[in-house]
Each structure stands twice: as C-alpha cells, then as structure tokens.
Amino acid sequence: MSSTSSGRRRHAALHLFLIIVLICAVIAAALYVGFSLVAGKPTVGDPRCTVVSAQGTTYTFTPEQTRNASIVSAEALARGLDQRASVIALATAQQESELRNIDYGDRDSVGLFQQRPSQGWGTAEEIMDPHYATVAFYNHLEHVDYHSMSVTQAAQAVQQSGVPDAYAKHEDSSAALTDAFHGAQPAMLNCVLDPVDASPSTSEGSASPAARADEAVVGLTRDYGDTLGGVRTEGESAVVEPDDSESGWAAAHWAVANAERLGITRVSYDGRTWDRGHQTSTRFSPVPGWESAEELTPEGQAAPPSPQVVISTATSQDPA
C-alpha cells in the first residue's frame, strides 16, 4: 500500500513539474514577443530582414527599417562621404526613431531623425520625407569634424539631444548596415517577405512588372546618384552595370531592402541569387538567403557569373 502511495506521489510531483515547465515556457515566449515589439523588431513569422556583420553578428530589422537604412546609407555614398558618416547617421536614426518614419515625437519632433520644424529643420511635411530628412542631417554633419569624434559625440553635435550618450549602443549594427549598402561584403543582407500578391505594403502592387522595374531604376538613381555605374531598365528587370564589386553588392543589397516596396522578386549578381519565393524555413532548415548558381541549377552546372546586377520584378520565373 505504501508503495502505491509513493508511486502516486512521484507521479503527481512529475505532473506538477511538467506544468511548471510549460508555464515557464509560455511566459518566456510572451516576454520574448513583448521585448521584440518594444524594441521595434519583427517577431518570428513576420516579414523581416537580417544583416550579418563582418564579425558574424546577426542584426534583425523590419522591412521598413531596412528600407530606411538603405536611404540613409546610400546618401552618404552619393555625397562622396565615407562609411563613418553613414554609421553616425544610422546610429542617430536608430536611436531617434528606431529607423521608422514616425509623425510624432518629443514636442514637435517628427521623422527618421526626429528633427523639429521649430528649430529650422524644415516643415513637418518636408521632414516626413526620409530623403529630405537624411539630406538635412548630412548637411549639418559635414560642418562637424566627425572624424575626430566618437559616434555619440558626432551625433550629439548635430542633434543636441537631451540624451547625449544613447547613440553608442547602435554603432555595431549601423556599421553592419553600412557595409551592406556600401557593398563592403557580398551577400550580407537577406529579407524574408510575403509573396508580391499578398504584400499589402507594396505601393506598386497593381502596377505592371515593367513599371515596377522602372521605379527600381528611379530609386537606385535617386539614392546613389551616379556612384553605382550604369542603371537601366530591360523589360521586367532593372539592370546595373557596376563600376566594381562594391558598387554591385551595394545595388544588390539595396534591391533586397526595397523588394517589399517595389515588388522585386529576384536579385542576381556575381553568381549568387536572392529569390523572394525561396526565403522560407522549416524546423530543420534555415532560410536559404543568397543561393549560388549551382544550387539553383538542377544539374549543378551554371553559366559564369554575370558582371551585371539583375533586379527582376516578374512574379513567375523559370529556374536560373
């Protein structure tokens, strides 16, 4: 009899232990989602973009954050500024708005950099244009000896923030984004997005692929100026003839970052391809990211890498 009671007690204790473990797991998952939302980061299953630094650290952003980062970083290149200027600008935008173009803030602050109309940054409507806000930031940064300053000091010299020490924590992620949009390393940036037809944030969702390709050419030229090389439309694709490998990867990463907005479905450069439809994962396989031509060819035999960046907006394609 005592043996039976002892067994029941052990069974009850085990049952209670499993319940406690389950409750802890639920709480941990809820906290993870909560912290992700507070930090402005996408949760698992949401469209998201990741950038991997040269040191192997992975940073995750929403498509909107990544798209805004491409504008900020490309403008530095277009102005002939170095990567440090881009890092400072991105760290500032991360701290001020989490790289979101918000229409509210402290007092009359709005936009990516939380610039204030009352302080001479422009009208609220102008500041809400990410390109205008970015240009305004660099106009001020160029009058600062930022090479002799830390990221925080340089950002504070422009922003005059009430929290002057908050920018430093974004330096590493800003450096990774800068490397991607300046083409310092290949295949650094990947985005997992909804299909084009199911993406409600695609502003050109009803436009033809050819029209979306034209818009990609306009966007590349607007953001990078003439620093990438030749940019043109070919049918349902935008094509970049880069001046060098860095220019090519800058354009390729920009295209992935802007894929949700422009309805871009595939980007190919230097023997690697980002295919929007392939960016799914299972419990046992990671998101593929950029795939080599050999991986995308059934026979494993691919043509030599193209020197062009090909940005496709077609919704269905033959295998590469």
Side-chain angles (χ1 to χ4, degrees):
M1 190 73 173
S2 60
S3 175
T4 302
S5 299
S6 176
R8 287 175 177 172
R9 285 196 298 271
R10 286 197 298 271
H11 180 76
L14 177 61
H15 185 66
L16 178 61
F17 173 75
L18 292 176
I19 291 175
I20 293 172
V21 170
L22 179 60
I23 291 172
C24 290
V26 170
I27 292 173
L31 288 173
Y32 172 78
V33 172
F35 285 133
S36 296
L37 291 174
V38 169
K41 304 298 184 184
T43 56
V44 175
D46 288 340
R48 61 195 183 277
C49 298
T50 56
V51 60
V52 182
S53 72
Q55 293 73 39
T57 304
T58 300
Y59 300 97
T60 303
F61 299 93
T62 66
E64 177 197 2
Q65 290 172 317
T66 312
R67 181 171 66 249
N68 287 330
S70 74
I71 294 170
V72 174
S73 192
E75 176 63 23
L77 205 59
R79 296 169 77 100
L81 300 177
D82 57 14
Q83 291 194 359
R84 185 162 182 77
S86 172
V87 171
I88 294 167
L90 286 169
T92 303
Q94 285 202 69
Q95 175 58 32
E96 296 293 348
S97 70
E98 295 179 349
L99 278 170
R100 296 177 298 140
N101 192 33
I102 53 179
D103 61 358
Y104 58 88
D106 178 45
R107 288 167 284 188
D108 58 338
S109 302
V110 294
L112 282 180
F113 296 93
Q114 289 292 278
Q115 295 154 335
R116 298 179 59 193
S118 63
Q119 299 300 309
W121 287 96
T123 66
E125 183 179 4
E126 287 173 332
I127 297 170
M128 283 300 296
D129 177 355
H131 298 92
Y132 176 95
T134 298
V135 168
F137 179 87
Y138 283 123
N139 285 343
H140 283 72
L141 183 65
E142 286 184 304
H143 289 91
V144 172
D145 184 16
Y146 62 85
H147 289 103
S148 66
M149 300 177 177
S150 68
V151 167
T152 288
Q153 290 171 333
Q156 175 63 5
V158 174
Q159 296 293 107
Q160 299 298 310
S161 169
V163 189
D165 299 322
Y167 302 102
K169 63 186 177 183
H170 303 293
E171 184 170 355
D172 291 343
S173 58
S174 297
L177 287 167
T178 295
D179 281 346
F181 295 119
H182 287 216
Q185 299 290 333
M188 291 181 63
L189 177 73
N190 182 44
C191 289
V192 179
L193 306 173
D194 292 328
V196 172
D197 293 340
S199 180
S201 58
T202 302
S203 60
E204 290 77 20
S206 61
S208 69
R212 287 185 271 123
D214 287 338
E215 182 61 24
V217 169
V218 170
L220 279 164
T221 304
R222 176 198 60 212
D223 289 0
Y224 284 102
D226 59 359
T227 63
L228 296 178
V231 184
R232 66 181 187 277
T233 304
E234 285 188 5
E236 297 178 341
S237 297
V239 176
V240 180
E241 299 276 2
D243 291 332
D244 48 40
S245 176
E246 287 77 13
S247 298
W249 280 110
H253 290 144
W254 181 96
V256 173
N258 287 269
E260 184 180 68
R261 179 178 70 89
L262 296 174
I264 292 168
T265 55
R266 175 176 286 189
V267 183
S268 296
Y269 177 59
D270 196 27
R272 302 194 197 188
T273 294
W274 174 84
D275 190 301
R276 183 172 181 154
H278 291 187
Q279 306 311 315
T280 58
S281 62
T282 68
R283 180 180 175 185
F284 303 103
S285 64
V287 175
W290 290 82
E291 300 170 272
S292 69
E294 289 78 7
E295 291 173 310
L296 294 170
T297 306
E299 297 79 12
Q301 298 177 350
S306 170
Q308 300 175 335
V309 182
V310 180
I311 302 164
S312 178
T313 57
T315 53
S316 61
Q317 299 171 320
D318 295 328

